[in-house]
């Protein structure tokens, strides 16, 4: 039926490539003046780095697209990856305790390796999707037994390792990363074939814990919040203008940028909020720069392209003829959707600022490279499914609708 590349899903590939190339332009626009004034660096320093990240991301995406999916299911690779990730997260936890000054924006989440910083929580997101998809598929026949206790026993081992990773990420503290991981777990558990009563039980438990914790933080622990960085960022969402000189500075200036840009923006490169008013405008608040320079319309187009990839990924999962491939697609779509929602929500002030980057656009290597691998997996599954369906038509003379 021809090479796999003949069946590549352009509805995923084109938006991905456009967003990555657009990120180079916006990182240059958002970082150039800022890093020159604040750090004394060349105005193109971060642009060149982002170009390298994008190029490496394209290579990783292509390699992931070409490999056989069964390689991603090797127990040694998955188990080893999980153990290495746990080891890196434990190292960050110890590093944060021994050397508190190493924390960036209140969290010890990065490991410097030469000219780049590796963020293990980003690796954990995709690895979690691969691990849960494999474990749930391998134990698929046991996930819908006559009793809920039977399902609980089946889930005990994989979920225990997953919860260890979740706890380690939360202790950094990386609340945004932990929330994304938790959502991935819930979606994949619910989509795995588990009895609906138990799936709803997991979701209700998760929302209950999050809702109860949020209520306690707001009503009972105001003093604790006021003395801890992550807590003050949460309070800044509730009272941004009262805290505009400290943790509310990013949110207040983000609102100013969106208002200044209006519907069509002030023009690419002409924004003023990036000139020292908005800290690190090229990272998780790059959408503020986009909306100021290209308008709310430009921001909607960018976010819309990301959500289009999410929709297409979900569609590939729905059409997939194997549980493993479907779970992979649901997990990756959830990862993209929640990360985008958290970033946009933080920028406009409807969600706490968690430091979550805007997929494909924000400056940085860890997120872009992991997302590129994820897109490679989506393209791989989509092309494989399309080729197999066409092969079924050729062999039988009629459409295979299994």
């Amino acid at each position: 039926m021809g090479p796999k590349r003949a069946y590549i899903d352009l509805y995923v590939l084109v938006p991905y490539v456009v967003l990555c190339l657009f990120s180079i332009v916006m990182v240059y626009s958002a970082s150039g003046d800022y890093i020159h004034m604040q750090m004394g660096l060349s105005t193109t320093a971060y642009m060149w780095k982002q170009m390298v990240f994008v190029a490496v991301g394209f290579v990783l995406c292509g390699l992931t697209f070409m490999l056989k999916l069964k390689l991603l299911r090797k127990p040694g690779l998955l188990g080893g990856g999980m153990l290495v990730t746990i080891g890196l997260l434990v190292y960050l936890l110890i590093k944060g305790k021994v050397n508190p000054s190493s924390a960036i924006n209140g969290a010890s989440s990065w490991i410097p390796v030469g000219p780049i910083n590796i963020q293990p929580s980003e690796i954990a997101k995709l690895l979690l999707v691969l691990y849960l998809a494999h474990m749930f598929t391998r134990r698929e026949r046991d996930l819908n037994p006559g009793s809920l206790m039977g399902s609980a026993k089946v889930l005990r081992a994989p979920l225990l390792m997953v919860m260890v990773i979740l706890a380690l990420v939360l202790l950094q503290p990386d609340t945004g990363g932990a929330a994304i991981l938790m959502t991935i777990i819930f979606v994949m558990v619910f989509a795995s074939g588990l009895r609906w009563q138990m799936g709803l039980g997991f979701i209700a438990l998760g929302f209950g814990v999050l809702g109860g914790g949020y209520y306690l933080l707001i009503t009972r622990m105001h003093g604790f919040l006021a003395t801890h960085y992550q807590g003050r960022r949460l309070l800044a969402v509730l009272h941004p203008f009262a805290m505009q000189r400290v943790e509310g500075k990013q949110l207040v200036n983000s609102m100013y940028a969106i208002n200044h840009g209006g519907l069509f923006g002030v023009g690419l490169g002409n924004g003023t909020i990036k000139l020292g008013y908005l800290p690190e405008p090229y990272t998780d608040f790059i959408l503020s720069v986009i909306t100021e320079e290209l308008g709310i319309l430009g921001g909607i187009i960018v976010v819309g392209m990301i959500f289009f990839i999410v929709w297409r990924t979900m569609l590939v999962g729905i059409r997939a003829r194997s549980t493993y491939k479907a779970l992979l697609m649901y997990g990756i779509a959830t990862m993209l959707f929640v990360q985008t929602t958290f970033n946009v929500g933080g920028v406009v002030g409807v969600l706490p600022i968690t430091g979550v980057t805007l997929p494909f656009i924000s400056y940085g290597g860890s997120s872009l490279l992991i997302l590129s691998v994820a897109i490679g997996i989506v393209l791989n599954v989509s092309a494989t499914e399309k080729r197999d369906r066409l092969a079924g038509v050729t062999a039988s003379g009629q459409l295979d609708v299994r």
Side-chain angles (χ1 to χ4, degrees):
M1 294 299 293
K4 187 191 294 185
R5 64 177 178 272
Y7 304 96
I8 196 164
D9 193 338
L10 295 178
Y11 292 109
V12 175
L13 179 64
V14 172
Y16 160 69
V17 172
V18 170
L19 287 168
C20 288
L21 295 178
F22 179 68
S23 77
I24 298 173
V25 177
M26 288 313 306
V27 165
Y28 172 64
S29 177
S31 69
D33 293 322
Y34 182 87
I35 61 176
H36 182 67
M37 293 187 300
Q38 301 290 331
M39 308 175 194
L41 299 176
S42 167
T43 56
T44 59
Y46 281 11
M47 181 196 71
W48 289 112
K49 285 187 177 182
Q50 187 72 3
M51 288 181 67
V52 172
F53 294 146
V54 169
V56 175
F58 285 166
V59 172
L60 290 176
C61 181
L63 292 175
T64 310
F65 169 70
M66 296 305 297
L67 61 76
K68 295 184 181 296
L69 285 173
K70 65 181 181 181
L71 295 177
L72 298 177
R73 301 190 64 179
K74 287 186 175 294
L77 179 64
L78 289 174
M82 293 290 282
L83 291 176
V84 169
T85 301
I86 290 175
L88 292 174
L89 292 171
V90 170
Y91 167 77
L92 284 175
L93 189 62
I94 296 173
K95 178 185 175 185
K97 298 295 183 183
V98 175
N99 184 20
S101 62
S102 65
I104 301 176
N105 294 332
S108 181
S109 304
W110 293 267
I111 300 175
V113 179
I116 64 173
N117 291 322
I118 296 177
Q119 192 172 5
S121 62
E122 292 293 336
I123 301 173
K125 294 173 189 175
L126 182 58
L127 187 60
L128 193 68
V129 172
L130 295 171
Y131 178 74
L132 289 178
H134 171 69
M135 294 302 295
F136 288 151
T137 304
R138 198 177 74 173
R139 305 183 184 192
E140 184 176 7
R141 294 183 179 179
D142 300 322
L143 284 176
N144 198 18
S147 68
L148 294 180
M149 292 302 296
S151 292
K153 289 180 180 179
V154 171
L155 293 171
R156 183 172 55 194
L159 287 183
L160 179 61
M161 184 173 288
V162 166
M163 289 302 173
V164 169
I165 291 181
L166 180 62
L168 289 172
V169 172
L170 191 59
L171 288 171
Q172 290 180 5
D174 181 0
T175 52
I180 293 172
L181 290 174
M182 190 178 296
T183 308
I184 291 172
I185 295 170
F186 287 149
V187 170
M188 295 191 70
V189 165
F190 194 70
S192 65
L194 189 67
R195 287 184 65 180
W196 67 269
Q197 295 99 325
M198 195 168 190
L200 287 178
F202 272 108
I203 293 176
L205 176 62
F207 278 109
V209 171
L210 289 175
Y214 184 79
Y215 174 79
L216 287 174
L217 284 173
I218 297 301
T219 62
R220 306 293 183 185
M221 301 179 66
H222 190 280
F224 173 82
L225 291 173
T227 57
H228 289 74
Y229 180 78
Q230 295 292 334
R232 293 195 302 271
R233 295 188 81 172
L234 179 59
L235 289 176
V237 178
L238 303 175
H239 313 287
F241 290 93
M243 303 177 67
Q244 62 180 313
R245 295 186 180 275
V246 281
E247 278 70 25
K249 182 177 181 179
Q250 280 185 307
L251 179 53
V252 169
N253 282 292
S254 175
M255 293 176 177
Y256 286 150
I258 296 172
N259 180 68
H260 185 214
L263 186 60
F264 299 106
V266 297
L268 183 62
N270 295 329
T272 58
I273 206 68
K274 62 192 180 184
L275 303 177
Y277 300 102
L278 186 65
E280 299 181 351
Y282 44 86
T283 55
D284 47 317
F285 271 80
I286 196 168
L287 185 60
S288 302
V289 179
I290 293 173
T291 52
E292 183 185 23
E293 298 187 352
L294 302 179
I296 295 175
L297 184 61
I300 290 174
I301 292 173
V302 170
V303 175
M305 290 179 71
I306 299 175
F307 282 140
F308 181 82
I309 294 177
V310 172
W311 169 79
R312 187 67 184 181
T313 302
M314 287 293 294
L315 188 61
V316 172
I318 292 170
R319 292 175 175 175
R321 295 182 295 173
S322 76
T323 302
Y324 175 70
K325 292 177 182 178
L327 288 176
L328 276 182
M329 297 301 96
Y330 297 152
I332 291 173
T334 301
M335 179 176 70
L336 271 172
F337 177 80
V338 178
Q339 185 167 331
T340 305
T341 301
F342 278 13
N343 179 271
V344 176
V347 166
V348 300
V350 298
L351 290 174
I353 300 170
T354 56
V356 172
T357 58
L358 183 63
F360 310 112
I361 302 295
S362 293
Y363 169 78
S366 294
S367 177
L368 181 58
L369 297 185
I370 292 299
L371 289 173
S372 294
V373 173
I375 292 298
I377 294 174
V378 174
L379 292 172
N380 195 329
V381 171
S382 179
T384 303
E385 285 292 307
K386 185 176 181 180
R387 183 175 60 182
D388 291 348
R389 283 196 298 270
L390 291 177
V393 171
T394 302
S396 63
Q398 60 184 3
L399 179 64
D400 183 356
V401 294
R402 292 178 298 166

